[in-house]
Amino acid sequence: MNPAAWMLKATEGYKLSRPISSKITDLLYIDELKIFAASQTKLETVMKSTQTAMKDMGLRWNPKKCSVLHVKRDVQ
């Protein structure tokens, strides 16, 4: 999974709020991967490239085990 993780680290990711001036691109566990992006469009792009990278490594992307969570700031 290292090649996929390296590819994800190069993406824009999601910028955290102040005072933390950092970004988060992914969380990789033993058999679980979480991908973060600033918008749905960017997430779809990153997911497609991640799926391709995983396929190149001989790993399968299982859409039945995938889900997406959209969070909007300042929406009440």
Side-chain angles (χ1 to χ4, degrees):
M1 286 296 296
N2 280 343
W6 296 329
M7 186 261 324
L8 286 167
K9 295 287 183 220
T11 65
E12 186 177 326
Y14 179 79
K15 293 179 183 172
L16 300 173
S17 300
R18 292 182 193 155
I20 303 169
S21 60
S22 186
K23 71 174 184 174
I24 184 167
T25 57
D26 65 286
L27 293 174
L28 178 60
Y29 301 102
I30 294 171
D31 64 346
E32 185 175 315
L33 174 64
K34 295 181 181 182
I35 302 170
F36 298 89
S39 71
Q40 183 175 351
T41 305
K42 292 177 183 180
L43 179 62
E44 290 172 3
T45 302
V46 173
M47 285 174 56
K48 286 179 186 178
S49 58
T50 303
Q51 185 177 8
T52 301
M54 289 175 66
K55 186 177 180 181
D56 291 345
M57 291 182 284
L59 300 173
R60 289 186 314 165
W61 181 280
N62 188 347
K64 292 179 183 177
K65 292 185 175 184
C66 296
S67 61
V68 176
L69 173 66
H70 299 278
V71 178
K72 293 184 179 185
R73 289 184 185 174
D74 300 324
V75 175
Q76 298 178 3

